[in-house]
């Protein structure tokens, strides 16, 4: 595991003084339970801390970047950045799921790709960096991996609503979603959907839920329509 954690450090660009913090950040409660570890050794407490650090850093960033926006718009924008799907998207850029210590049950049911697990791990990683290297290092990590490309992340977060508005502005063709496939056991399903404008497919997406697959299809559709424009 040490070699794997070194690999993760390289990806994040942050080297831990206390490697135990990084190990704890990657330890899911299912692994701790299975190995009869102290409940406090899993990543839940770090996640609690990281969540607060993320909120402060993202609030400060948005406050200074969007000086003309009122409080309501800033709140909505922050919600789009710190929500579970967006954090899972950011975690995917680091392939964070690959580095997690999971119990056998979670492993077998696709826990490494579950949004709730990888987004929690992302927050735990932020908490670990904050404890190990202070606020400045945590802020640098957040700005590099979460606050980058905010416009696209907002599109991703609100994709179905934004695509609906784009389609309505274009004319009469209705927007619909079609489920293309559904596979895997009940506890570990994978869905693929496509977004259709009339009879034309504009985007496809996969996800662990129908809603996630449709959101990804809508996001792909937005990007395609924007390219055409």
């Amino acid at each position: 595991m040490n070699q794997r954690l070194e690999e993760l450090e390289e990806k994040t660009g942050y080297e831990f003084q206390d490697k135990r913090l990084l190990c704890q950040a990657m330890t899911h409660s299912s692994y701790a339970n299975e190995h009869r570890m102290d409940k406090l050794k899993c990543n839940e407490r770090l996640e609690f801390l990281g969540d607060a650090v993320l909120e402060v850093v993202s609030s400060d960033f948005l406050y200074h970047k969007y000086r003309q926006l009122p409080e309501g718009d800033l709140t909505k924008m922050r919600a789009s950045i710190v929500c579970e799907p967006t954090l899972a998207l950011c975690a995917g850029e680091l392939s964070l799921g690959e580095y997690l210590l999971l119990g056998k049950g979670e492993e077998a049911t696709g826990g490494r790709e579950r949004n709730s697990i990888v987004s929690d791990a992302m927050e735990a990683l932020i908490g670990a960096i904050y404890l190990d290297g202070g606020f400045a290092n945590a802020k640098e990590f957040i700005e590099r991996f979460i606050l980058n490309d905010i416009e696209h992340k907002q599109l991703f977060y609100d994709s179905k609503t934004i695509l609906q508005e784009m389609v309505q502005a274009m004319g009469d063709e209705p927007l619909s979603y079609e489920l293309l496939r559904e596979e895997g056991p009940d506890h570990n399903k994978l869905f693929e959907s496509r977004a259709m404008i009339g009879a034309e497919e504009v985007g496809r997406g996969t996800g662990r839920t129908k809603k996630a697959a449709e959101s990804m299809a809508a996001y792909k559709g937005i990007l395609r329509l924007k390219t055409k424009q």
Side-chain angles (χ1 to χ4, degrees):
M1 187 65 185
N2 285 346
Q3 192 176 345
R4 300 284 289 144
L5 292 181
E6 282 174 19
E7 193 179 290
L8 180 56
E9 282 182 315
E10 259 182 58
K11 282 186 178 180
T12 63
Y14 178 76
E15 187 175 346
F16 278 81
Q17 304 301 310
D18 184 354
K19 308 292 183 190
R20 290 172 300 179
L21 281 169
L22 177 55
C23 188
Q24 185 180 348
M26 294 299 105
T27 302
H28 188 253
S29 56
S30 62
Y31 183 91
N33 293 338
E34 200 173 278
H35 289 78
R36 301 188 178 181
M37 294 164 66
D38 185 330
K39 172 78 172 156
L40 301 179
K41 297 292 185 188
C42 75
N43 65 7
E44 289 176 350
R45 278 169 54 84
L46 286 174
E47 175 209 332
F48 162 79
L49 180 60
D51 175 62
V53 175
L54 174 59
E55 185 142 327
V56 170
V57 171
S58 56
S59 300
D60 178 74
F61 179 87
L62 295 172
Y63 180 86
H64 288 98
K65 183 174 173 68
Y66 300 99
R67 293 177 183 274
Q68 307 307 315
L69 288 184
E71 180 265 348
D73 290 348
L74 291 173
T75 300
K76 189 179 176 191
M77 195 177 284
R78 183 180 64 197
S80 73
I81 294 164
V82 302
C83 71
E84 184 182 288
T86 309
L87 285 180
L89 186 73
C90 299
E93 291 172 21
L94 289 165
S95 304
L96 207 56
E98 293 177 17
Y99 302 96
L100 288 172
L101 292 171
L102 293 178
K104 287 175 186 168
E106 281 294 354
E107 183 80 69
T109 56
R112 291 189 188 280
E113 296 169 25
R114 191 167 295 129
N115 279 5
S116 58
I117 289 179
V118 294
S119 64
D120 287 351
M122 194 71 170
E123 290 181 333
L125 181 55
I126 291 166
I129 292 172
Y130 171 75
L131 285 181
D132 189 73
F135 186 77
N137 281 301
K139 182 171 183 275
E140 189 178 323
F141 173 83
I142 291 167
E143 288 180 351
R144 182 178 172 190
F145 291 102
I146 297 173
L147 297 176
N148 62 330
D149 208 5
I150 282 181
E151 285 74 18
H152 271 104
K153 285 179 177 135
Q154 272 194 289
L155 291 183
F156 176 73
Y157 173 70
D158 278 330
S159 58
K160 290 182 76 173
T161 303
I162 292 168
L163 183 59
Q164 182 69 52
E165 289 169 354
M166 290 173 80
V167 170
Q168 283 171 346
M170 285 163 56
D172 301 327
E173 294 280 23
L175 171 66
S176 63
Y177 295 91
E178 183 183 333
L179 181 64
L180 295 173
R181 68 187 170 97
E182 176 182 334
E183 59 186 42
D186 285 343
H187 59 259
N188 192 23
K189 288 271 191 200
L190 183 70
F191 298 88
E192 183 178 24
S193 295
R194 63 178 179 173
M196 307 284 291
I197 299 176
E200 182 192 356
E201 178 183 322
V202 291
R204 285 192 186 203
T206 57
R208 293 286 166 190
T209 63
K210 268 198 277 196
K211 184 181 175 186
E214 287 177 0
S215 292
M216 183 56 79
Y219 176 63
K220 298 274 182 66
I222 291 166
L223 297 183
R224 184 172 168 188
L225 291 180
K226 279 183 172 289
T227 303
K228 279 186 178 179
Q229 289 170 357

